[in-house]
Amino acid sequence: MTFVILACALPQYKLWWPFFVVLFYILSPIPTMIARRSGDSAGGNNSPCMEAAVFITMGILVSSFALPIVLARAGVILWGACYLTLAGNVIVFLTILGFFTIFDMDDSDYAMW
């Protein structure tokens, strides 16, 4: 999040357009959480509901990387702000992936939470 805020707030950039990727950060885990909740009765991760959730999540992920690139190509933001936003995207999505990986383990002590 620090990179995204820097992309918006540094004096040479001064535009808050890159901050719209935060919407993608909020939306990205929702399809997976819904599919896991409804997929418990189906039994297994290979259900059509889970496949659709992964597809929607990947669409959101690609859109979050495409938005700053399109804004930079259109001249709305500078390329430095684009690079900072892309770096922030990588860190945030790796954090979300780590969260789902750690809390999906059934054999560790963290699964008790």
Side-chain angles (χ1 to χ4, degrees):
M1 283 302 296
T2 304
F3 284 126
V4 175
I5 292 172
L6 282 175
C8 299
L10 283 177
Q12 62 265 32
Y13 303 138
K14 293 185 186 176
L15 295 174
W16 287 89
W17 289 107
F19 202 70
F20 281 111
V21 297
V22 173
L23 179 67
F24 295 120
Y25 300 160
I26 295 168
L27 291 177
S28 65
I30 292 174
T32 306
M33 289 189 297
I34 291 172
R36 285 187 183 183
R37 175 69 70 175
S38 66
D40 288 340
S41 62
N45 288 335
N46 293 332
S47 68
C49 184
M50 184 57 92
E51 296 293 330
V54 169
F55 180 77
I56 293 169
T57 302
M58 287 301 122
I60 293 170
L61 192 133
V62 168
S63 297
S64 71
F65 281 96
L67 178 68
I69 294 171
V70 169
L71 289 175
R73 295 269 305 167
V76 176
I77 64 173
L78 297 176
W79 281 102
C82 175
Y83 296 142
L84 285 170
T85 306
L86 293 176
N89 282 348
V90 169
I91 293 169
V92 167
F93 285 122
L94 285 176
T95 303
I96 292 171
L97 176 69
F99 174 80
F100 277 112
T101 302
I102 292 297
F103 285 105
D104 193 33
M105 291 182 195
D106 291 333
D107 58 347
S108 70
D109 292 337
Y110 297 114
M112 294 184 342
W113 298 355

